[in-house]
């Protein structure tokens, strides 16, 4: 059984799917804390599941590095086996990635290396592509450039909006994330040599 800390910025629907998966007695991971870089709506899932949460508000710090140091203090305290970024809309400072990597994984709503960054869904739609996807990667110091642990194609429909496309991608992200965490927990996936 491995311990997991999840970091979010938004509604946390992907986080909730992971929390529901960890409720299964045979799932080999449990979430010990949920953190956010703002007063994210998704922190409400923590209270629903009786899990501690913390908020390190990015806007309260004068730099990404200062924010990162406070975040690192929290992560050290929880000392989790795995850190999952699930809708964290913030790049981690190199100091955090260097300290906790490669035990940090991230879900991204595109078929990396296609459409990295904060607007992957919007960019895929704007490109006119007929398909995009979802990916789970190891976090490195680039922008969505880490080793790919899992990914799957998702069709783009002609009448898609950014919202409708994103809602079609998220269930795929959730399935890939739940499976990736399970594979890390069982040792099937070794983050130090994921390729
Ligand atoms: C997910 O698609 C995630 O990959 C992206 O932002 C979305 C978060 O959705 N970075 P939610 O907060 O889990 O609903």
């Amino acid at each position: 059984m491995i311990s997991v800390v999840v970091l979010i910025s938004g509604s946390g629907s992907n986080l909730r799917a992971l929390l529901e998966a960890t409720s299964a007695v045979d799932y080999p991971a449990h979430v010990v804390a949920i953190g956010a870089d703002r007063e994210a709506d998704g922190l409400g899932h923590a209270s629903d599941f009786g899990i501690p949460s913390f908020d390190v508000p990015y806007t309260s710090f004068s730099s990404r590095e200062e924010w990162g140091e406070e975040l690192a203090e929290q992560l050290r305290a929880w000392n989790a086996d795995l850190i999952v970024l699930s809708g964290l809309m913030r790049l981690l400072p190199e100091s955090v990635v260097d300290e906790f990597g490669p035990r940090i994984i991230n879900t991204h709503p595109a078929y990396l290396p296609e459409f990295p960054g904060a607007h992957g869904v919007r960019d895929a739609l704007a490109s006119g592509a007929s398909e995009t996807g979802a990916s789970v990667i190891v976090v490195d110091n680039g922008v969505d450039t880490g080793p790919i642990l899992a990914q799957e194609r998702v069709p783009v429909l002609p009448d898609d909006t950014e919202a409708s496309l994103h809602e079609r991608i998220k269930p795929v992200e959730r399935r890939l994330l739940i499976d990736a965490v399970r594979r890390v927990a069982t040792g099937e996936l070794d983050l130090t040599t994921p390729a």
Side-chain angles (χ1 to χ4, degrees), residues 49-66:
F49 280 78
I51 294 172
S53 64
F54 59 90
D55 172 13
V56 183
Y58 187 84
T59 52
S60 301
F61 296 84
S62 59
S63 71
R64 180 185 308 277
E65 286 63 34
E66 272 200 30

Side-chain angles (χ1 to χ4, degrees), residues 8-190:
I8 63 169
S9 295
S11 65
S13 67
N14 289 355
L15 158 67
R16 185 156 195 118
L18 180 61
L19 291 173
E20 286 162 1
T22 61
S23 303
V25 290
D26 61 348
Y27 191 77
H30 68 294
V31 176
V32 293
I34 298 164
D37 68 331
R38 65 198 77 184
E39 289 180 17
D41 292 345
L43 290 175
H45 301 310
S47 45
D48 290 350
F49 280 78
I51 294 172
S53 64
F54 59 90
D55 172 13
V56 183
Y58 187 84
T59 52
S60 301
F61 296 84
S62 59
S63 71
R64 180 185 308 277
E65 286 63 34
E66 272 200 30
W67 171 75
E69 188 37 52
E70 180 60 31
L71 179 65
E73 285 293 319
Q74 286 283 347
L75 294 174
R76 286 183 204 111
W78 290 107
N79 192 31
D81 299 305
L82 180 66
I83 298 163
V84 171
L85 310 186
S86 182
L88 183 70
M89 300 306 284
R90 201 74 68 184
L91 279 180
L92 296 176
E94 289 200 8
S95 57
V96 174
V97 177
D98 293 346
E99 178 173 352
F100 297 96
R103 295 180 292 115
I104 312 174
I105 66 174
N106 180 35
T107 66
H108 183 73
Y111 199 85
L112 292 170
E114 300 167 1
F115 312 120
H119 305 292
V121 179
R122 183 190 311 172
D123 295 344
L125 199 57
S127 76
S130 60
E131 58 180 9
T132 180
S135 304
V136 178
I137 62 171
V138 179
V139 173
D140 66 5
N141 279 314
V143 178
D144 298 320
T145 53
I148 295 171
L149 301 177
Q151 58 184 177
E152 187 174 307
R153 282 290 184 188
V154 175
V156 180
L157 302 183
D159 59 348
D160 261 332
T161 62
E162 182 178 351
S164 65
L165 177 54
H166 206 164
E167 284 315 303
R168 184 174 316 113
I169 293 170
K170 283 186 180 182
V172 177
E173 280 188 89
R174 294 165 194 160
R175 179 162 40 78
L176 295 181
L177 175 62
I178 289 164
D179 186 53
V181 171
R182 183 186 53 72
R183 289 190 292 141
V184 170
T186 60
E188 185 184 332
L189 205 47
D190 176 358

